[in-house]
Amino acid sequence: MPFVAVDCSSWRKPSWKASSSAMFGGLTGAVTAKKGLFEEADRGTCFLDEIGNISPAIQAKLLRVLQEHEIKTVGGTETIKIDVRMVAPRPKPGRTGGEKKFREDLFYRLNVVSIHLPSSGTPEDIPC
């Protein structure tokens, strides 16, 4: 089962095309198509680190992936069904990428199962 860790802070940059290509794959100026992060994580887990930093436009795209369980590659015409478990640390409330807010509907879509960890962060503090 694949595990793909993603640093979402790179998705807040103004380069929408580069972010979309990284997430969804597609033609990136090369002759062959490249798999995106979600396609690489198919039938596995995608860890979305620093999710509170993504732009509102990418939040909307991510929400659609979570709702529809499918992606469309950049420049592609067909949708690809994916089965990916998304894991993300809780974003700081009300802020992302400057003063923009994190979408409530995306937060609730990601917040299906919450795991509360103690602030000390030692493995002995985590209940089994």
Side-chain angles (χ1 to χ4, degrees):
M1 294 176 76
F3 179 85
V4 177
V6 181
D7 179 8
C8 296
S9 60
S10 64
W11 292 352
R12 67 179 167 180
K13 295 178 182 168
S15 175
W16 166 247
K17 194 173 194 177
S19 299
S20 292
S21 180
M23 289 190 313
F24 304 112
L27 297 174
T28 59
V31 176
T32 59
K34 178 185 170 213
K35 278 188 175 182
L37 298 169
F38 297 127
E39 199 173 352
E40 284 181 20
D42 191 29
R43 303 179 108 182
T45 302
C46 185
F47 177 69
L48 302 170
D49 197 17
E50 298 292 335
I51 193 159
N53 290 329
I54 61 176
S55 70
I58 296 178
Q59 288 181 44
K61 289 279 193 182
L62 181 57
L63 180 62
R64 182 159 175 78
V65 170
L66 290 168
Q67 289 174 331
E68 305 299 326
H69 304 283
E70 62 186 25
I71 59 169
K72 189 182 287 189
T73 60
V74 175
T77 57
E78 296 181 18
T79 58
I80 300 169
K81 287 286 188 189
I82 58 167
D83 179 16
V84 178
R85 178 185 312 115
M86 304 279 185
V87 179
R90 184 181 185 128
K92 292 186 174 83
R95 298 191 73 191
T96 181
E99 294 301 317
K100 300 175 183 105
K101 295 197 181 251
F102 195 79
R103 290 178 62 126
E104 256 187 73
D105 50 356
L106 176 56
F107 174 79
Y108 287 111
R109 184 64 69 174
L110 286 167
N111 195 29
V112 175
V113 175
S114 292
I115 300 171
H116 299 280
L117 300 176
S119 59
S120 68
T122 60
E124 296 81 27
D125 293 335
I126 301 171
C128 294

